[in-house]
Amino acid sequence: MIAQLTGLPVHAGNALSTLLLALTALAGTGMVLAAMVRLRCAPTVYVLSLLLSIPATLLALMLPAVWWTNLTAPAQGLLLVPLLVLPLTLPLRTLPANWTATALELGASLPKRLTLLWWPLLKKPALTSLVLAFAFGILK
């Protein structure tokens, strides 16, 4: 979209590159989320994503104007990870550290923990990140 507005050449694989950008951004966000839950470092990730979200997002939006190759869409997706992680860190910052351990002691299996513990907690932030990923994929 930005390439069209600035008069840059339009590439044939716009839909494919949009999908690639969104999938790369969501995969990176998922890996950071898994590390946050596993290492219990949500306050640190919150500060880092807060500091990096504006510069990385601006760089992701301006990247096609400066550098256009087959790797531009995945690079844009990786640059959007701090913005997509930010809503996910908000509920995890105040989460008690022994929440998962308590669920394990009560006999909750992994599917039960995911459906009864993590999904209600992260449903709205995850959907927000999903919408942001596809919105920036379309804006690219």
Side-chain angles (χ1 to χ4, degrees), residues 1-2 7 20 25 40 43 46-47 52-53 60 63 67 82 84-86 88 93 100 103 135:
M1 180 85 174
I2 289 178
L20 187 60
R40 294 181 178 89
Y46 171 73
V47 172
L52 292 174
S53 62
L63 194 61
W67 179 59
L84 301 181
V85 166
L86 191 59
L88 294 169
R93 279 186 324 157
T100 304

Side-chain angles (χ1 to χ4, degrees), residues 103-120:
L104 276 171
E105 285 180 16
L106 292 173
S109 62
L110 180 63
K112 288 285 187 188
R113 284 192 316 254
L114 289 175
T115 57
L116 298 175
L117 186 74
W118 294 110
W119 179 245

Side-chain angles (χ1 to χ4, degrees), residues 23-116:
L23 289 177
T24 305
L26 291 174
T29 302
M31 286 192 281
V32 171
L33 177 65
M36 269 193 310
V37 169
R38 186 80 170 147
L39 300 174
R40 294 181 178 89
C41 60
T44 306
V45 173
Y46 171 73
V47 172
L48 287 174
S49 64
L50 193 61
L51 290 173
L52 292 174
S53 62
I54 292 175
T57 304
L58 290 176
L59 184 59
L61 288 174
M62 296 305 294
L63 194 61
V66 182
W67 179 59
W68 186 265
T69 65
N70 291 337
L71 297 175
T72 303
Q76 284 178 300
L78 290 177
L79 286 170
L80 289 175
V81 169
L83 179 69
L84 301 181
V85 166
L86 191 59
L88 294 169
T89 59
L90 297 176
L92 293 177
R93 279 186 324 157
T94 59
L95 189 67
N98 57 355
W99 219 32
T100 304
T102 304
L104 276 171
E105 285 180 16
L106 292 173
S109 62
L110 180 63
K112 288 285 187 188
R113 284 192 316 254
L114 289 175
T115 57
L116 298 175

